Each structure stands twice: as structure tokens, then as C-alpha cells.
Amino acid sequence: EFTIATANAVRAGNPDALYWLGKCYLKGLGCRRDASGGCSCLERAALAGHAAAALKLGECFETGNGAPASSELAAYWYRKAGARGENRAYDKLLNLARKRR
């Protein structure tokens, strides 16, 4: 549930709050679906070091959901996610490399 505390956390730039808000925007959960707004929230969280946000942002670039489709940017964010401990990022990178062949 989106509360005043959640809104304040988003305004304050809390990476976890931005990550979850981004996912809500992407899926239209509790709000109007806004894929580009979701990617914007994910980017803010990823830039603040949030590994799962970097992974999800990579998926946005890979699929073109809310962001321009770009395998280069997808790979960039997958590498960031992996470097921050998100193990699923390496499978994403491998699959992306297979698609590019």
C-alpha cells in the first residue's frame, strides 16, 4: 500500500522506495501504468546503488519497455547489477550475448 511514509521515502530518494514505485509503474499496480515513469524511478534507484533496480532497468532496455530498446544499455545495467551482487544479472548477460549472435 502506498502511504505518506512511502511518498516521503520516494521524495527523499530512498533507493528501495524508488525501486518498488518503479515496479508499480511498470505493471500498473495501484496506479496508472507508466512504463517510462517506472524506468525513471528504476534509474534513480540504480544510480544510488540498488542492484535489483539495475537488473530491472537492464530488462527495460532489453525489451524496450519504457525505454528505447538497446542491447548496449541493457548489458551496461546488467553488469552494474552483477557487480553489486545481483547473481541473476550474469544469466541475463549470457542470454543477451546469445541473442546478439
Side-chain angles (χ1 to χ4, degrees), residues 61-91:
F61 280 110
E62 183 176 356
T63 62
N65 180 26
S70 169
S71 57
E72 291 82 14
L73 286 172
Y76 172 83
W77 286 109
Y78 289 152
R79 284 191 300 273
K80 287 281 192 192
R84 294 173 181 155
E86 181 56 73
N87 293 327
R88 296 174 294 170
Y90 298 109
D91 288 333

Side-chain angles (χ1 to χ4, degrees), residues 3 6-7 9 13 17 19 22 28 31 51 65 98:
T3 64
T6 307
Y19 169 69
C31 59
N65 180 26
R98 287 180 179 149

Side-chain angles (χ1 to χ4, degrees), residues 31-100:
C31 59
R32 177 175 281 151
R33 186 179 181 283
D34 178 2
S36 64
C39 287
S40 177
C41 289
L42 291 172
E43 183 177 27
R44 287 178 58 200
L47 289 170
H50 198 283
L55 180 76
K56 192 69 177 167
L57 187 57
E59 291 173 357
C60 290
F61 280 110
E62 183 176 356
T63 62
N65 180 26
S70 169
S71 57
E72 291 82 14
L73 286 172
Y76 172 83
W77 286 109
Y78 289 152
R79 284 191 300 273
K80 287 281 192 192
R84 294 173 181 155
E86 181 56 73
N87 293 327
R88 296 174 294 170
Y90 298 109
D91 288 333
K92 296 280 189 179
L93 270 171
L94 183 60
N95 290 334
L96 187 62
R98 287 180 179 149
K99 285 182 193 177
R100 293 174 77 177

